[in-house]
């Protein structure tokens, strides 16, 4: 089938991240023919670099405006149009669809959520005045939700360890032996410096892998140039550049603990099988708190009381000294959660469920 994915980048990288992962899943796992129309090609291309060139060659990345001239011959009208996160289709593109002899199906791809109500809305019709069939599709963890994006399915971290991406080689050379690794990709507004300082009270050494922009964020929040931050030797800060999506997935697999945010890195942290803090995107109406609680209900369903307390404390930014005593149990839990997730998504996850629905 032919797919047109519309990706409008509101802010951050998540919109591009999800659209790109969907496009590559449809192409590499299902042999589909995919076009992406995006209003911020530099961001999309940044994430997409480093992917297997054969897959990249098969995905047609176009600027948003190119959709205004829907140049495909009518017989090449897409079978499926994806409005990622409910972005509106350009009027001129829609007008082209209206006169096409064969009508596609439009899918409004929603945000990922663990909230129970999504399964009642998943795959429901959204009747439109223009008459083209449109449906809601809700990604989710539950078996009767839209699933999660699995591509690429992560390999064993010990196998991936051998393939250090070139862009990360210099940073990786700085890592110390017998030292725990924590990657950091979070929004401003959390007490990260205090959190790092608290790590120094633990009986471990930590290498902190700061993703692009995090060092500056720390500087701003502390009001100091980072060099004057007085962190003891047990903590080493290592800044890495913005890397491709595959390379970032690799980083997550190679750290002992990850701080992630948004929704794509959140899923990849789970698939890395490591403990993580999800710094969910804060919303003014507090909706993120409900979303986080819904996820924790699922994530901790089978956990011991002690682990439940520890994880909830960590995810709500209690200091590490308050929960780190549970880290071994949390590590085991993370591996089990990953295995369970993969088993529940053994049908192929989001891309396969989307294919099945459209068919
Ligand atoms: O960038 P995000 O914060 O995006 C978020 C989400 O889209 C969220 O749903 C939305 O409400 C909010 O923005 C406005 O986080 P997310 O979703 O994890 O996306 C980051 C993407 O960037 C992900 O695909 C991983 C990728 N990435 C790289 O490719 N290289 C990097 O170096 C890093 C740090 C990330």
């Amino acid at each position: 089938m032919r797919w047109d994915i519309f990706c409008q980048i509101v802010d951050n990288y998540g919109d591009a991240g999800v659209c790109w992962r969907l496009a590559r899943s449809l192409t590499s796992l299902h042999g589909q023919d995919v076009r992406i129309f995006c209003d911020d090609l530099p961001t999309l291309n940044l994430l997409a670099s480093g992917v297997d060139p054969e897959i990249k060659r098969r995905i047609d990345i176009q600027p948003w405006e190119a959709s205004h001239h829907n140049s495909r011959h009518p017989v090449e009208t897409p079978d499926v149009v994806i409005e990622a996160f409910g972005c509106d289709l350009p009027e001129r593109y829609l007008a082209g669809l209206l006169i096409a002899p064969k009508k596609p199906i439009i899918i409004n791809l929603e945000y990922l959520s663990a909230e129970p109500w999504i399964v009642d809305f998943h795959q429901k019709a959204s009747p439109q005045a223009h008459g083209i069939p449109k449906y809601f599709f809700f990604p989710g963890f539950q078996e009767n939700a839209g699933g999660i994006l699995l591509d690429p399915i992560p390999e064993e971290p010990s196998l991936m360890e051998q393939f250090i991406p070139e862009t990360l080689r210099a940073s990786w050379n700085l890592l110390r032996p017998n030292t725990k690794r924590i990657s950091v990709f979070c929004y401003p507004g959390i007490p990260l410096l205090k959190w790092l300082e608290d790590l120094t009270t633990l009986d471990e050494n930590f290498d902190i892998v700061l993703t692009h922009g995090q060092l500056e964020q720390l500087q701003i929040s502390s009001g100091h140039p980072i060099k004057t931050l007085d962190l003891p030797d047990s903590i080493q800060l290592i800044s890495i550049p913005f890397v491709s999506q595959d390379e970032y997935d690799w980083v997550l697999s190679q750290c002992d603990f990850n701080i992630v945010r948004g929704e794509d890195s959140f899923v990849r942290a789970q698939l890395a099988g490591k403990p993580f803090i999800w710094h969910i995107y804060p919303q003014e109406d507090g909706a993120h708190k409900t979303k986080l609680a819904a996820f924790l209900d699922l994530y901790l369903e089978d956990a011991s009381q002690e682990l439940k307390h520890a994880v909830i404390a960590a995810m709500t930014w209690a200091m590490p000294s308050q929960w780190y005593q549970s880290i071994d149990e949390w590590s085991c839990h993370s591996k089990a959660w990953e295995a369970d997730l993969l088993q529940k998504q053994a049908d192929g996850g989001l891309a396969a469920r989307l294919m099945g629905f459209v068919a």
Side-chain angles (χ1 to χ4, degrees):
M1 291 186 287
R2 291 174 180 278
W3 300 66
D4 278 353
I5 301 178
F6 281 82
C7 172
Q8 223 164 14
I9 299 187
V10 181
D11 56 5
N12 304 319
Y13 311 107
D15 306 285
V18 169
C19 289
W20 175 246
R21 213 178 279 284
L22 173 63
R24 61 187 284 180
S25 308
L26 289 169
T27 307
S28 63
L29 305 177
H30 300 283
Q32 302 296 290
D33 179 0
V34 180
R35 256 193 326 190
I36 305 182
F37 292 107
C38 180
D39 64 352
D40 181 351
L41 288 190
T43 300
L44 184 62
N45 282 321
L46 201 57
L47 285 145
S49 63
V51 82
D52 179 350
E54 178 52 24
I55 296 173
K56 197 158 178 220
R57 201 179 52 76
R58 283 157 50 196
I59 301 173
D60 185 5
I61 298 182
Q62 294 284 340
W64 185 264
E65 300 74 35
S67 70
H68 297 176
H69 327 281
N70 194 356
S71 56
R72 274 185 180 163
H73 185 269
V75 293
E76 291 183 337
T77 306
D79 300 288
V80 192
V81 179
I82 305 276
E83 296 175 349
F85 309 120
C87 68
D88 288 328
L89 296 179
E91 273 178 30
R92 283 160 70 182
Y93 174 84
L94 194 57
L97 294 184
L98 290 175
I99 54 166
K102 184 190 73 170
K103 300 286 173 276
I105 167 176
I106 303 177
I107 302 280
N108 177 350
L109 180 67
E110 280 291 341
Y111 288 98
L112 167 70
S113 175
E115 289 166 288
W117 61 264
I118 64 156
V119 297
D120 298 329
F121 290 81
H122 176 52
Q123 299 185 344
K124 288 285 183 287
S126 167
Q128 302 293 308
H130 55 55
I132 302 177
K134 178 166 160 177
Y135 295 87
F136 290 106
F137 201 90
F138 279 87
F141 300 95
Q142 303 95 320
E143 268 155 281
N144 43 358
I148 57 170
L149 286 167
L150 298 170
D151 188 44
I153 291 186
E155 302 203 46
E156 257 304 299
S158 53
L159 272 178
M160 294 172 80
E161 191 182 20
Q162 304 155 31
F163 305 103
I164 305 178
E166 211 37 60
T167 38
L168 289 163
R169 201 169 280 281
S171 316
W172 240 245
N173 282 340
L174 300 172
L175 294 172
R176 301 170 296 177
N178 305 319
T179 302
K180 297 285 181 220
R181 282 176 216 161
I182 301 181
S183 81
V184 179
F185 178 46
C186 60
Y187 301 113
I190 41 125
L192 186 58
L193 184 58
K194 196 165 157 234
W195 194 93
L196 294 174
E197 282 165 350
D198 189 79
L199 286 178
T200 66
T201 64
L202 304 175
D203 199 15
E204 296 260 20
N205 288 338
F206 294 94
D207 282 340
I208 312 295
V209 179
L210 297 170
T211 57
H212 173 74
Q214 296 292 314
L215 187 64
E216 292 73 9
Q217 203 168 289
L218 259 183
Q219 278 174 315
I220 292 166
S221 67
S222 69
H224 294 292
I226 203 71
K227 287 206 171 65
T228 65
L229 287 181
D230 201 11
L231 287 169
D233 290 347
S234 62
I235 302 276
Q236 180 187 207
L237 302 182
I238 300 172
S239 264
I240 60 169
F242 193 91
V243 290
S244 70
Q245 198 176 52
D246 278 3
E247 289 162 344
Y248 178 64
D249 287 351
W250 185 87
V251 169
L252 295 175
S253 79
Q254 298 304 306
C255 288
D256 301 290
F257 190 97
N258 296 298
I259 299 180
V260 291
R261 66 185 211 190
E263 65 179 79
D264 190 57
S265 54
F266 163 56
V267 170
R268 296 313 292 186
Q270 293 169 61
L271 292 175
K274 306 289 176 65
F276 66 96
I277 292 178
W278 179 27
H279 189 201
I280 184 170
Y281 187 75
Q283 286 169 278
E284 268 172 30
D285 57 4
H288 61 288
K289 291 187 184 151
T290 315
K291 275 180 117 178
L292 175 61
F295 170 70
L296 289 174
D297 278 351
L298 280 186
Y299 183 63
L300 298 171
E301 210 171 8
D302 304 324
S304 69
Q305 224 27 49
E306 193 192 320
L307 185 60
K308 274 186 188 159
H309 282 135
V311 175
I312 292 170
M315 294 260 187
T316 49
W317 295 102
M319 291 296 116
S321 53
Q322 290 171 259
W323 51 261
Y324 198 79
Q325 72 284 355
S326 298
I327 197 69
D328 292 340
E329 192 183 350
W330 193 355
S331 297
C332 292
H333 180 78
S334 308
K335 281 210 160 308
W337 173 259
E338 180 201 0
D340 191 47
L341 203 54
L342 287 174
Q343 198 227 318
K344 287 199 174 110
Q345 306 281 326
D347 60 353
L350 195 152
R353 290 182 199 184
L354 200 46
M355 292 281 299
F357 176 63
V358 169

